[in-house]
Amino acid sequence: MYKFLAAGLLLASTAAIAASPVEPADLYRISMTDAVEVSPDGNHVLFTRMSFDIQTDRRVTEWWLATVTKTGLDKQLLIPAQAGASALAWAPDGKRIAYVAPWLGKPQLWVMDVTEGIGKPITTGALPPRTPVWSPDGTRIAFTARVEAPSPKIAGMPEKPAGATWAPDPRVISDFRYRTNEGGYIKAGADQLFVVAASGGTPTQLTKGDTNQIQGGAEWAPDGQSLVYAAAVRPGNDRIAGETDLYRLSATGGTPERLTSIDGGEGDPSLSPDGQWLAWIGQPRTTKFYAQPGLYVRRVAGGEPVHLTATLDRPVGSFAWSKDGKALHVSYGDVGLVRVATIPATGGAAKVIVPEIGGTRLYLPSSGGDWSVGGDTHAFTTVEADRPAALGVMRAGKLIGKIDFNTGWRADKQIGAMERLTWKAPDGLTVEGWLQYPPNFDPAKKYPVALEIHGGPNGDYGPYFSITHQLYAAAGYVVLWSNPRGSTGYGEKFANGITPEYGGEYPGPDHDDLMAGVDEVLKRPWADANNQFIGGGSGGGVLTTFAIGKTDRFKAAAALRPVTDWSIQALTSDITAVTLSNWVVGNPWEQRELYWRRSTFSLIGNVTTPTLLITGEADFRTPIAQTEAYYQALQVRGVPAMMVRLPEANHGMGRPSQWLQSNLAVINWYNKFRK
């Protein structure tokens, strides 16, 4: 696993005979581990090898099985990519797995004995299962599935003749939230909880109702008699940002018992091994920009919850009970990385047991990744600066094995160094960032500097390989990315440094942090002050369009999927509730001055920087109308501008070739205005 070097360099530049810089086609040559699952006894690890197929231009995933030996790890392919398997879950006996995969054209639930390596479908109906979880005795599997309902119709229409080719039916919408960035327009129906015998049969529906009755998956009680889960079923819940409660339901169905009633979000519930304690990840309701997720525990019988990670002051991602129930293992974001620590169930200091987990976004160097524990074995995605994440396995705090599918690819590549740096913001706050140098970097020469800004805005970047930054560097740019105020992993106050409660506004002090970072880089003799560039996506697009409305220091800008008008964003995005409750508090028709002041469109009369805009045409997170308006205004004003529209792409920027097109469009745009 990657370790920091004292001088701040994360990776020394290497040069091999006939090695070449990273090129666009490499996206189809590399692979990555992005999911891991440790068996209950800790002797085996399921892990993915995700890659992009150049023929279909889509993500494909193989599932591999690693065996933990005395000398390291053995591996074998378990499920090939063409099977389309996902959501793998170990049975309590550590011999079988459940997973979701297509069968006769529809997603079904499968079970496999890993020693045989042959999967068998145990469902055959119309229900599309998600998030399977085994009962403690291994005889049943619970899962979530959507029960579809008839779509609303316009009454009074004449009957459609047989064989007629009419226009598609209209979408009749009456729900507050009617589409999502990930899934598009929401089909009529409701998410429900089901249980099916592990040997197969007809699933039993446990929850009832016309609206979604479960959020995510469920967890079994240790005695197998009930399940706990999160649900958003309060009246008017869809209008309340992040509001969920926890429920317990008999494994045979019936009326759910509400376990929590806290204002805010409670999710990912799990019962202690003795069944007496309930743990969950919670986000109390707030009007601040960011509600930092924490780990909470409470007796199932009742009482006040204890916030176990209050003093840690870091965002919690996931957790698992220790075998004896006396502690919890918890993953959390910390200064651009993800770590795993053990925290006593009664409260106390966190003890780090997995120091670094690698991000797996690949398009950009966002933190995240995956981690799993079973027995005394921890598996995780590794931190890599010069290649995508691999599988790492630790026991007793020591790395005992690593499986990296990119060794051969890396040997043929020239990749520049990555360096960590810090600087002081105008008010004295320390900000962290990283530089990606081009291959064969020569400090005696001059290099253009490209600032690339993360989205969120409550997200973070870290010291990870990304195809975007590698292509920028291969084109001769030194790339700067950082975690300005608003970023997570530096404490709740830092993440809310862009909220009025802490004297900030978005955009605002985060812009000052970023400009101070560019100034810090320009102190270096190789940095070309005449060739500064700026770009970013989503929240990074907000800060890009804000910056070019405040300064003309940049030769060119690239704003990807930006928010430029908060009134439009609030009322057309798939996250209207959080926008109105946390990001720009109040309704736009009542807070017109606030919405206009916060919108970067209000600054467009100042913009002289040549600007590229890129957005997916199916982006429902920051809908493309804002990109169109900003582009058209620049055209009206005579400012050089270009718009790139990605067909069928959502906020994630679409398919692999569309990732590359977004990268190359930026490079070409910068090159056009580079002196």
Side-chain angles (χ1 to χ4, degrees):
M1 186 164 56
Y2 171 79
K3 300 295 183 184
F4 283 100
L5 299 183
L9 289 180
L10 303 183
L11 177 74
S13 178
T14 59
I17 296 175
S20 60
V22 174
E23 59 185 5
D26 283 324
L27 184 60
Y28 297 103
R29 298 169 182 148
I30 54 180
S31 60
M32 176 175 66
T33 292
D34 62 353
V36 297
E37 290 291 336
V38 182
S39 63
D41 60 9
N43 291 328
H44 296 89
V45 180
L46 295 166
F47 67 103
T48 57
R49 183 182 186 182
M50 188 284 296
S51 59
F52 296 114
D53 179 35
I54 197 169
Q55 293 297 124
T56 62
D57 194 31
R58 293 192 182 277
R59 179 185 299 248
V60 294
T61 299
E62 300 172 342
W63 282 90
W64 288 67
L65 179 67
T67 300
V68 183
T69 69
K70 293 181 179 180
T71 58
L73 302 174
D74 292 335
K75 69 179 187 294
Q76 66 181 84
L77 177 63
L78 188 65
I79 305 176
Q82 56 264 34
S86 63
L88 272 67
W90 284 100
D93 61 12
K95 298 178 180 179
R96 296 169 294 162
I97 58 172
Y99 58 96
V100 176
W103 174 249
L104 300 178
K106 295 181 179 180
Q108 301 295 343
L109 195 59
W110 296 60
V111 169
M112 174 190 291
D113 185 318
V114 294
T115 58
E116 297 177 356
I118 300 174
K120 301 173 183 177
I122 64 168
T123 61
T124 57
L127 291 171
R130 309 193 306 270
T131 60
V133 58
W134 291 80
S135 63
D137 63 3
T139 63
R140 295 160 292 169
I141 299 173
F143 63 91
T144 301
R146 188 163 188 82
V147 178
E148 293 189 4
S151 298
K153 303 291 184 183
I154 302 295
M157 285 290 293
E159 184 176 352
K160 180 179 178 180
T165 55
W166 287 15
D169 289 338
R171 293 189 177 96
V172 181
I173 296 169
S174 58
D175 293 327
F176 182 82
R177 191 173 193 235
Y178 57 90
R179 61 186 183 184
T180 68
N181 179 66
E182 294 79 13
Y185 287 89
I186 299 172
K187 294 181 179 179
D191 290 346
Q192 307 285 359
L193 177 61
F194 293 82
V195 169
V196 66
S199 57
T202 302
T204 300
Q205 182 176 330
L206 302 185
T207 53
K208 311 292 181 183
D210 296 332
T211 59
N212 293 340
Q213 298 298 301
I214 182 171
Q215 187 172 84
E219 287 290 330
W220 290 86
D223 61 8
Q225 299 301 305
S226 62
L227 298 106
V228 293
Y229 58 93
V233 294
R234 294 193 195 188
N237 196 87
D238 54 351
R239 299 169 185 261
I240 307 172
E243 183 61 61
T244 54
D245 298 300
L246 303 182
Y247 293 82
R248 178 169 56 183
L249 180 63
S250 168
T252 58
T255 302
E257 173 192 2
R258 185 168 169 176
L259 298 176
T260 63
S261 56
I262 304 167
D263 286 341
E266 297 95 61
D268 301 315
S270 181
L271 293 165
S272 59
D274 63 6
Q276 299 301 305
W277 291 85
L278 175 67
W280 70 88
I281 296 175
Q283 292 177 279
R285 189 185 301 174
T286 181
T287 57
K288 296 176 185 176
F289 219 93
Y290 177 64
Q292 182 166 273
L295 178 62
Y296 294 78
V297 295
R298 194 204 73 186
R299 285 193 177 275
V300 176
E304 289 296 316
V306 177
H307 185 185
L308 291 181
T309 53
T311 57
L312 182 65
D313 192 24
R314 291 293 186 267
V316 171
S318 61
F319 71 93
W321 286 93
S322 63
K323 290 182 294 184
D324 59 10
K326 295 182 179 180
L328 297 101
H329 308 304
V330 55
S331 70
Y332 60 94
D334 184 35
V335 296
L337 296 165
V338 173
R339 312 187 197 277
V340 178
T342 297
I343 299 176
T346 55
K351 180 182 178 182
V352 174
I353 52 177
V354 180
E356 298 175 352
I357 293 174
T360 55
R361 188 175 177 187
L362 192 57
Y363 178 58
L364 290 164
S366 303
S367 72
D370 198 25
W371 155 79
S372 177
V373 60
D376 297 321
T377 302
H378 293 264
F380 53 93
T381 54
T382 61
V383 174
E384 307 291 345
D386 65 339
R387 69 195 77 190
L391 168 70
V393 177
M394 295 183 74
R395 278 182 175 172
K398 295 181 179 180
L399 183 69
I400 62 171
K402 178 178 174 179
I403 296 176
D404 177 10
F405 290 109
N406 294 295
T407 303
W409 173 84
R410 178 62 185 90
D412 293 333
K413 289 293 158 184
Q414 283 183 317
I415 294 179
M418 185 186 292
E419 178 188 347
R420 176 183 176 270
L421 69 161
T422 61
W423 59 88
K424 294 292 185 180
D427 62 358
L429 189 71
T430 299
V431 181
E432 182 179 30
W434 295 266
L435 290 173
Q436 177 64 55
Y437 289 95
N440 297 320
F441 174 79
D442 182 352
K445 296 180 179 179
K446 288 286 188 179
Y447 289 86
V449 176
L451 171 64
E452 201 277 315
I453 311 167
H454 75 65
N458 301 125
D460 66 340
Y461 275 163
Y464 313 116
F465 176 94
S466 80
I467 193 66
T468 298
H469 292 175
Q470 291 299 333
L471 290 175
Y472 289 5
Y477 294 83
V478 175
V479 187
L480 168 66
W481 66 100
S482 69
N483 288 329
R485 254 167 285 210
S487 301
T488 57
Y490 298 82
E492 185 270 341
K493 188 174 182 179
F494 189 93
N496 273 318
I498 54 175
T499 200
E501 286 88 340
Y502 291 154
E505 189 167 79
Y506 177 68
D510 42 358
H511 165 79
D512 298 336
D513 297 345
L514 293 166
M515 296 304 103
V518 177
D519 291 340
E520 179 67 26
V521 173
L522 292 179
K523 294 176 183 178
R524 306 184 181 206
W526 50 259
D528 186 353
N530 292 319
N531 278 298
Q532 303 174 54
F533 299 86
I534 186 171
S538 193
V542 175
L543 286 162
T544 297
T545 53
F546 184 80
I548 60 177
K550 292 289 186 178
T551 177
D552 61 358
R553 68 187 291 176
F554 298 102
K555 289 300 179 186
L560 286 68
R561 56 210 191 279
V563 174
T564 62
D565 187 325
W566 282 105
S567 294
I568 302 303
Q569 171 68 14
L571 300 176
T572 63
S573 170
D574 68 336
I575 52 173
T576 291
V578 71
T579 304
L580 298 176
S581 300
N582 300 91
W583 289 0
V584 191
V585 179
N587 296 319
W589 54 91
E590 297 167 340
Q591 301 285 346
R592 293 173 63 185
E593 190 279 331
L594 173 64
Y595 272 77
W596 181 244
R597 185 181 77 241
R598 295 275 302 278
S599 298
T600 61
F601 198 84
S602 68
L603 302 173
I604 202 160
N606 302 334
V607 176
T608 59
T609 306
T611 304
L612 169 69
L613 297 122
I614 307 176
T615 300
E617 293 184 338
D619 187 336
F620 297 143
R621 183 60 46 84
T622 57
I624 197 169
Q626 299 177 80
T627 292
E628 294 169 331
Y630 198 91
Y631 165 79
Q632 201 67 60
L634 292 176
Q635 288 285 349
V636 169
R637 293 193 59 247
V639 178
M642 184 168 74
M643 177 170 57
V644 175
R645 307 169 64 98
L646 302 177
E648 301 179 359
N650 65 15
H651 199 63
M653 302 301 282
R655 294 161 70 175
S657 65
Q658 293 173 312
W659 286 14
L660 294 176
Q661 288 163 341
S662 69
N663 294 154
L664 295 174
V666 173
I667 293 169
N668 294 339
W669 187 254
Y670 288 177
N671 286 344
K672 181 177 180 179
F673 298 97
R674 175 176 166 182
K675 288 188 177 180

